[in-house]
Amino acid sequence: NAGKVVGVLAVTEDITARKYMAQELFRRANFDSLTGLPNRAYFHSQLAEGVKRAQRRAGLVLMYFDIDRFKQINDTYGHDVGDEVIRMFGQRVRAALRESDFIARLGGDEFVLIAEAQNEQNDGAVIAQKLVDAMKPAFDIGAVRLQVSTSIGVAYFQDGMTPEMLVKAA
């Protein structure tokens, strides 16, 4: 028997459930459950990375925006309609942007956008206009038809800016 293989022992473990749980924990920690968009924590980590990249090569635009008169919508039609407005708003914003643009919901009706590789001075204004235009069609929610608009603050990264300064500027 010296040197002869007499058998093979194999031990296997299915880690599918563990992988799924890790993905689920990441999703819960980093994404908004209502819109499916990244949340505040994920936004802050992405902004820090974007600022690092912008320090090496210019072209970062940060936009901070919300739904105009959202409290009035919630108070008049209720939270179910308000939630649907937020969900639809997020879908329209996502559809109006490039795949590489990072959009997040900070909470309530507040959203942020990080757009990199924006080197022309009016790039931010062009994107902001796309977002304004995306809201022009009425929001049909059951029997309720709403005109929804947005107000947008735009900030361009400049040398020496921290992520906090950029958010404040927007």
Side-chain angles (χ1 to χ4, degrees):
N1 276 353
K4 278 190 178 173
V5 176
V6 292
V8 176
L9 174 63
V11 177
T12 63
E13 181 183 2
D14 183 357
I15 62 166
T16 305
R18 198 177 322 154
K19 286 280 208 193
Y20 173 78
M21 186 53 76
Q23 289 171 337
E24 183 63 15
L25 289 173
F26 179 83
R27 191 185 61 73
R28 287 185 188 180
N30 292 290
F31 289 86
D32 171 57
S33 61
L34 181 63
T35 61
L37 294 172
N39 65 15
R40 179 182 297 270
Y42 199 10
F43 158 69
H44 283 292
S45 69
Q46 289 297 305
L47 181 60
E49 292 299 314
V51 165
K52 284 180 193 168
R53 285 189 293 274
Q55 287 165 346
R56 290 193 299 273
R57 56 180 192 277
L60 180 98
V61 175
L62 178 70
M63 297 186 190
Y64 199 103
F65 51 105
D66 64 6
I67 300 171
D68 295 338
R69 297 175 302 285
F70 181 72
K71 185 180 179 337
Q72 185 181 338
I73 291 169
N74 244 354
D75 291 348
T76 305
Y77 301 102
H79 291 285
D80 289 345
V81 170
D83 285 353
E84 191 57 30
V85 166
I86 287 172
R87 215 180 345 266
M88 290 174 76
F89 184 89
Q91 288 170 348
R92 288 190 186 187
V93 168
R94 179 75 265 162
L97 301 173
R98 303 173 306 175
E99 197 61 41
S100 60
D101 294 331
F102 184 88
I103 170 132
R105 178 179 174 221
L106 297 183
D109 67 324
E110 294 183 329
F111 294 80
V112 286
L113 165 66
I114 303 169
E116 295 186 58
Q118 304 296 313
N119 297 310
E120 298 301 318
Q121 197 51 35
N122 70 339
D123 283 349
V126 169
I127 297 167
Q129 189 59 54
K130 281 184 184 177
L131 297 178
V132 167
D133 291 345
M135 299 311 144
K136 286 185 178 168
F139 282 55
D140 289 316
I141 302 162
V144 178
R145 186 179 196 114
L146 297 169
Q147 283 306 136
V148 175
S149 58
T150 183
S151 298
I152 306 171
V154 180
Y156 293 86
F157 176 81
Q158 293 165 3
D159 281 340
M161 283 182 121
T162 64
E164 295 75 23
M165 293 163 79
L166 199 54
V167 169
K168 193 173 202 124

